[in-house]
Amino acid sequence: RQRSEVREAGWLYLASSHVAALCLFAFFTLLAARTGSWELSSMRDRSDLAPLFWFALAGFGLKAGLFPLHIWLPSAHANAPSHVSAILSGVTIKIGIYGLVRFSGWLPVPSQAGCVVAILGVVSAVFGVAFALGQHDLKRLLAYHSVENIGIILIGFGFALVAMGEKNAPWGRLALAGGLLHVWNHGLFKSLLFFGAGSVLHATGTREMSRLGGLWRMMPWTASLFALGAVAISGLPPLNGFVSEWLVFLGLFDATIARGPSAWAAISAAILLGITGALALACFVKVCGVVFLGAPRSPAAERAHESGMSMRGPMLVLGAACVAIGLAPILFWPAILRAVDVWN
């Protein structure tokens, strides 16, 4: 609390979370007023409830940090302690995604909801990675990649809503499965990356990438595990990020082949998703090169030391989970399939 930027981040997070809560209060209150009950049960035949989806999208979207409702996210994630950043990015913002998926599973949604969610997903993915490329603060860079990955999840979810409007087209199930699996995957590799950033901060006392460099010599474990997380978040095989993004791509490809009303939208989304992946790879090549390769660029980097086992242990567990899902996704498919079946 002694630092002004921490106080400002805290106030912004507080204000944003209250606005999100007010939107959700409006959602639940109007739902109860129209149904005469607080009971949460299947109401997809009540078309008069469809407009309430916009309140849910505003409230849960703000909590998830989708663009342009992400205003609280970069400063909050950057200024929180690294293990808290891992929880915020890996777990907390997914509650917004859970809310959207959960309530759209039993409430009717407006006919244009799928297109709106998919567009917000594409915008979040592209702008999130674009803003990340311009960052010099390591944790702030990772925060913008959370916006990007929330966008990837929403692309899958948005096209699942579109498929629902086209009488549950089968490609929507693939897109939804990819989005739901990416919720897990992002929680794993983003927590790994924030723990890695925390290890660097612990060893050097700085998040400024321009003051780092050459850390792989003093911190080989941290450098290797951070690189593994970078490969995963870039969507490269054989790690978990590739599996979930590929499922989303398959859904988009199948939507294109089906030549339905959403074919051109699926083509555009697939192209922009591919661009997002390329920019993410470029961003993490830059990060790994600036932070871990070359020569130390400050006395703090020269005095860096490897973190203890209490910090490396969680990173090893998360890295192993990224490898496991990437190499054996079939083991996790039944859980994803059950979730997709319940939502449909």
Side-chain angles (χ1 to χ4, degrees), residues 161-211:
L161 290 174
V162 172
M164 183 192 297
E166 296 184 15
K167 299 181 179 179
N168 289 322
W171 49 263
R173 295 169 61 85
L174 274 175
L176 181 61
L180 293 178
L181 182 57
H182 205 71
V183 170
W184 292 3
N185 289 341
H186 180 252
L188 293 170
F189 57 62
K190 182 50 71 65
S191 297
L192 172 59
L193 289 167
F194 268 118
F195 283 154
S199 179
V200 170
L201 178 60
H202 172 75
T204 63
T206 182
R207 305 191 311 248
E208 288 296 321
M209 294 189 292
S210 59
R211 298 184 58 200

Side-chain angles (χ1 to χ4, degrees), residues 80-327:
S82 297
H83 57 287
V84 176
S85 298
I87 294 173
L88 280 173
S89 186
V91 181
T92 305
I93 62 175
K94 305 307 190 322
I95 300 301
I97 299 296
Y98 172 81
L100 285 174
V101 174
R102 181 69 171 174
F103 289 109
S104 64
W106 55 267
L107 277 178
V109 297
S111 58
Q112 64 272 38
C115 291
V116 172
V117 172
I119 290 171
L120 288 174
V122 170
V123 170
S124 295
V126 174
F127 278 85
V129 73
F131 278 110
L133 275 165
Q135 302 304 311
H136 301 285
D137 182 310
L138 180 56
K139 290 182 64 180
R140 196 173 183 88
L141 179 147
L142 294 177
Y144 274 110
H145 277 288
S146 291
V147 178
E148 173 216 344
N149 281 272
I150 287 295
I152 294 172
I153 294 167
L154 288 178
I155 291 173
F157 175 56
F159 275 92
L161 290 174
V162 172
M164 183 192 297
E166 296 184 15
K167 299 181 179 179
N168 289 322
W171 49 263
R173 295 169 61 85
L174 274 175
L176 181 61
L180 293 178
L181 182 57
H182 205 71
V183 170
W184 292 3
N185 289 341
H186 180 252
L188 293 170
F189 57 62
K190 182 50 71 65
S191 297
L192 172 59
L193 289 167
F194 268 118
F195 283 154
S199 179
V200 170
L201 178 60
H202 172 75
T204 63
T206 182
R207 305 191 311 248
E208 288 296 321
M209 294 189 292
S210 59
R211 298 184 58 200
L212 301 171
L215 296 185
W216 71 271
R217 299 184 186 89
M218 292 79 78
M219 308 177 68
W221 282 96
T222 297
S224 299
L225 290 165
F226 190 95
L228 188 148
V231 172
I233 197 174
S234 300
L236 296 178
L239 298 182
N240 58 341
F242 170 77
V243 178
S244 49
E245 288 191 34
W246 182 240
L247 285 172
V248 175
F249 270 117
L250 287 177
L252 298 177
F253 294 158
D254 284 359
T256 301
I257 294 171
R259 298 183 180 180
S262 56
W264 285 106
I267 292 172
S268 302
I271 292 171
L272 291 170
L273 185 55
I275 293 172
T276 299
L279 292 176
L281 178 60
C283 186
F284 278 96
V285 167
K286 180 194 82 168
V287 171
C288 291
V290 171
V291 174
F292 296 106
L293 302 181
R297 290 184 292 277
S298 69
E302 291 177 347
R303 295 191 299 268
H305 56 85
E306 184 60 270
S307 301
M309 193 60 200
S310 61
M311 295 178 71
R312 278 182 282 155
M315 288 193 285
L316 286 168
V317 172
L318 291 168
C322 291
V323 173
I325 295 178
L327 294 179

